[in-house]
Amino acid sequence: MRTPLGQEDAMTYGDLDSRRSVPSTAVGGLAFAASVLVMVGSFSIVAGLAAILDDDYLVVSRRYAFDLDTVAWGWIHLFLGMALVGVGIGLFANQSWAGIVAIVLAGLVAIDYFFFLPYQPVWSLVVIALCAWVIWSLTKARHEDSEPGG
């Protein structure tokens, strides 16, 4: 059964016209955030496994207010690292839930590494800066995506 040309055009091209275009800077910000989340998550998994398998891997001076057992820090880093990798993959797949979850997880990881400063100060500062950059790029991408003009 054939349909009139006008109806076919409306069905085929009507869906394309209703889509919103996403600015290229927003796509670049999402790709950057996803890449950094997967990278930081992978490194956190490795650091977590190292701390779990070797208690003497991390050494901290006594009298630190947030002194946790090395194995406890290892489990925290392992779980947060796996969550970061999963959310980074979700951002690559353009899942709608991944943006908000990535912002929340990046904030949690930044707080985690703030408390981890006495154990590995340089790496902690790098991770905190990367998490802040991820949060900025995701909120910037969401802002550009929600602007009326594109």
Side-chain angles (χ1 to χ4, degrees):
M1 181 172 172
R2 300 177 96 176
T3 60
L5 185 61
Q7 287 180 355
E8 188 173 305
D9 287 342
M11 292 169 58
T12 304
Y13 299 112
D15 293 336
L16 293 175
D17 292 337
S18 66
R19 293 182 189 166
R20 291 184 353 196
S21 64
V22 178
S24 62
T25 55
V27 173
L30 291 174
F32 167 78
S35 301
V36 170
L37 287 176
V38 170
M39 180 185 65
V40 169
S42 299
F43 289 152
S44 291
I45 290 171
V46 171
L49 287 174
I52 291 169
L53 298 175
D54 184 13
D55 286 346
D56 297 327
Y57 172 69
L58 299 171
V59 178
V60 69
S61 62
R62 295 185 186 262
R63 301 181 47 83
Y64 176 52
F66 302 104
D67 189 21
L68 284 177
D69 184 37
T70 306
V71 176
W73 280 117
W75 284 109
I76 291 170
H77 287 318
L78 181 67
F79 286 133
L80 285 176
M82 290 188 310
L84 284 178
V85 169
V87 169
I89 292 170
L91 279 176
F92 276 128
N94 202 18
Q95 298 294 317
S96 60
W97 56 267
I100 299 295
V101 174
I103 291 170
V104 170
L105 272 178
L108 283 175
V109 169
I111 292 169
D112 171 42
Y113 275 91
F114 173 76
F115 290 123
F116 198 66
L117 271 168
Y119 295 94
Q120 290 181 330
V122 175
W123 177 243
S124 294
L125 290 175
V126 168
V127 170
I128 291 168
L130 286 173
C131 286
W133 205 357
V134 163
I135 292 170
W136 176 82
S137 68
L138 287 173
T139 54
K140 179 81 172 155
R142 289 179 58 81
H143 173 71
E144 288 178 358
D145 188 26
S146 66
E147 285 181 351

